[in-house]
Amino acid sequence: MDGPARCGTVCGVGVFYSDGHALNRSAGVDAYAAPGARNVAELAAIFAAVSRHPRSRPLRLYTDSLASLRSLRRCAEDSFEPPLPPPGPALCAAAITRARRPRR
């Protein structure tokens, strides 16, 4: 999964499993060029992967965004320093909640 290197008014988001895989996704996310906007796009990609992946299957995420991983850790610890622009905190919380749900 990946967010963009640069953001304008819309950032691209992608989740890639393999060529032609049904869970591949790409979308645009409103994330203006404010500080942290790139991280919001990265978090949107992480949320998209976590929310659509079958709960019965293990999931391994690959990202080049250390900032997003740190944001997820801070969210899991209920600490947002430095703060993320919206909807970053909501994406973090939703991804953490979904990832923590027990498998069926």
Side-chain angles (χ1 to χ4, degrees):
M1 83 224 123
D2 200 14
R6 290 186 226 162
C7 289
T9 57
V10 176
C11 296
V13 172
V15 177
F16 181 78
Y17 282 79
S18 62
D19 287 337
H21 197 285
L23 293 178
N24 290 346
R25 288 289 177 265
S26 63
V29 173
D30 269 345
Y32 296 92
R38 183 181 338 172
N39 296 339
V40 170
E42 296 277 358
L43 290 167
I46 291 168
F47 174 72
V50 170
S51 66
R52 296 190 50 83
H53 190 79
R55 296 296 303 149
S56 61
R57 306 280 318 265
L59 175 63
R60 184 173 292 164
L61 299 174
Y62 294 92
T63 180
D64 62 354
S65 176
L66 183 57
S68 293
L69 295 176
R70 287 179 177 155
S71 294
L72 289 167
R73 186 189 73 232
R74 287 191 302 264
C75 179
E77 297 169 351
D78 292 323
S79 167
F80 280 104
E81 291 295 330
L84 290 167
L91 287 168
C92 276
I96 292 292
T97 299
R98 175 73 173 146
R100 286 182 172 166
R101 283 185 32 204
R103 292 185 194 169
R104 296 178 189 151

